[in-house]
Amino acid sequence: MAHPISAFQAAYISIEVLIALVSVPGNILVIWAVKMNQALRDATFCFIVSLAVADVAVGALVIPLAIIINIGPQTEFYTCLMVACPVLILTESSILALLAIAVDRYLRVKIPVRYKSMVTPRRAAVAIACCWIVSFLVGLTPMFGWNNLNKMQRTQELNGSHTEFVITCQFETVISMEYMVYFNFFVWVLPPLLLMLLIYLEVFNLIRKQLNKKVSSSSNDPQKYYGKELKIAKSLALVLFLFALSWLPLHVLNCITLFCPSCQTPHILTYIAIFLTHGNSAMNPIVYAFHIKKFRTAFLQIWNQYFCCKTNKNATSTTTAETGN
């Protein structure tokens, strides 16, 4: 028998659904903009598409699975584990996409002349494929054995229970905190974030040096190039900052859970941290719309071509038909 949903769970589900309804259309719009606008076809925007795909999957897959876990159905261990792993895969995919974007921006300002010959569409596609392969390996590690199955079986044996091994499906029930902290956070989240911080600091330093050079009247193009790079780098650094701001609280709570088992973390803090992680998938399209002119132009083009003008045409056609009658 399923337990009735409490008012708190209903509020949680409502917020999650709202996040999904913002995240999925927003990131589909990002992918659509890159597909239809030739100016958004370079390597950076290919990596942004990879990030958007992960964000769409968060809204369309992870959030529904998170709602299921919150309800806590009775399932077999590995069924619950399969429900818990997608968020690990997509988190790592997002981190690696952000790292690829940071490296790409660095190469743009470090070797602008040789950039196009080095960062080809084929190499960008290979890099994206590698990011997703690594993400699946990292995210599916619990399926390969680093999980809480042995611990739960020992607990069942100590309790003298010989019934079929069925559990209440919760994230912490099946996912090992040692995996989440030592492997996921200390190896695959924190070091890439710190590396990206260093890369962006170097990007801003290189751009500042170029913009501070004494320029002659014949060197307007380099100044324009680095000025544009500065604007895009600031926007993408903001995306990185929002990602870190959204994900670090949950990882800090995981560290507290592992290193201080007696510490009682208020449930409301856990829920806020979860909302931040899921809400991050809805933030990027907003950043692109307000901070990257190429995206803003593409979004307006899509709106005018497929929504605004179409609505006006339908209204005009309806008015004409009514007048004819």
Side-chain angles (χ1 to χ4, degrees):
M1 291 289 291
H3 297 290
I5 296 174
S6 66
F8 187 84
Q9 283 180 315
Y12 165 80
I13 292 169
S14 299
I15 295 171
E16 289 281 40
V17 169
L18 181 62
I19 292 171
L21 290 175
V22 175
S23 174
V24 173
N27 285 287
I28 287 175
L29 189 62
V30 170
I31 298 167
W32 192 355
V34 174
K35 184 178 184 300
M36 71 174 293
N37 194 328
Q38 196 67 35
L40 296 173
R41 295 289 179 83
D42 64 15
T44 299
F45 297 107
C46 291
F47 296 131
I48 287 176
V49 166
S50 179
L51 181 60
V53 168
D55 287 338
V56 168
V58 168
L61 177 64
V62 169
I63 287 179
L65 293 179
I67 291 172
I68 290 172
I69 286 179
N70 182 260
I71 295 170
Q74 298 292 309
T75 67
E76 292 183 353
F77 184 88
Y78 277 98
T79 302
C80 183
L81 200 58
M82 284 191 289
V83 171
C85 281
V87 68
L88 304 173
I89 297 168
L90 296 172
T91 304
E92 192 56 39
S93 173
S94 297
I95 291 170
L96 295 178
L98 289 168
L99 180 58
I101 290 169
V103 172
D104 178 72
R105 300 326 292 185
Y106 173 76
L107 293 175
R108 276 182 169 274
V109 298
K110 183 68 175 179
I111 51 168
V113 176
R114 291 186 293 129
Y115 171 80
K116 286 190 176 180
S117 63
M118 286 192 64
V119 185
T120 61
R122 180 182 176 82
R123 287 175 179 172
V126 169
I128 291 170
C130 289
C131 288
W132 279 98
I133 290 169
V134 171
S135 301
F136 272 93
L137 292 175
V138 172
L140 291 178
T141 296
M143 295 292 294
F144 303 145
W146 198 345
N147 54 52
N148 286 336
L149 179 60
N150 291 335
K151 184 192 297 185
M152 296 201 67
Q153 287 176 333
R154 284 197 300 269
T155 302
Q156 188 183 38
E157 289 170 3
L158 288 172
N159 293 335
S161 175
H162 300 287
T163 59
E164 186 181 354
F165 190 57
V166 176
I167 63 168
T168 300
C169 186
Q170 298 287 340
F171 187 85
E172 290 185 21
T173 304
V174 293
I175 300 293
S176 163
M177 272 300 124
E178 285 82 4
Y179 161 82
M180 285 301 299
V181 174
Y182 292 125
F183 185 69
N184 189 279
F185 183 47
F186 287 167
V187 176
W188 291 105
V189 174
L190 194 57
L193 287 177
L194 293 174
L195 178 59
M196 283 184 268
L197 174 63
L198 295 175
I199 290 172
Y200 275 110
L201 287 174
E202 181 61 17
V203 166
F204 290 130
N205 183 48
L206 289 170
I207 293 174
R208 181 184 57 80
K209 286 179 180 178
Q210 292 294 332
L211 292 177
N212 286 343
K213 283 183 178 179
K214 298 287 184 181
V215 295
S216 64
S217 58
S218 63
S219 53
N220 288 330
D221 285 344
Q223 289 292 299
K224 185 178 178 181
Y225 175 84
Y226 285 106
K228 184 180 71 174
E229 286 299 316
L230 179 61
K231 289 179 182 178
I232 295 177
K234 283 181 178 179
S235 301
L236 296 173
L238 177 59
V239 170
L240 172 62
F241 172 75
L242 290 173
F243 183 90
L245 192 67
S246 299
W247 279 96
L248 286 178
L250 187 60
H251 283 290
V252 169
L253 290 178
N254 288 339
C255 290
I256 293 172
T257 301
L258 179 64
F259 298 128
C260 183
S262 60
C263 297
Q264 294 295 321
T265 305
H267 286 298
I268 189 64
L269 288 182
T270 303
Y271 278 104
I272 290 171
I274 291 170
F275 288 142
L276 280 173
T277 61
H278 294 167
N280 179 253
S281 63
M283 296 176 189
N284 294 342
I286 298 170
V287 173
Y288 303 150
F290 282 96
H291 290 270
I292 299 180
K293 187 178 178 181
K294 287 180 180 179
F295 268 117
R296 189 162 59 248
T297 303
F299 291 162
L300 288 172
Q301 184 182 348
I302 291 170
W303 171 256
N304 290 330
Q305 186 173 343
Y306 294 96
F307 298 101
C308 179
C309 294
K310 193 172 182 179
T311 304
N312 291 339
K313 284 178 183 177
N314 290 339
T316 304
S317 299
T318 304
T319 306
T320 304
E322 290 173 354
T323 304
N325 292 334

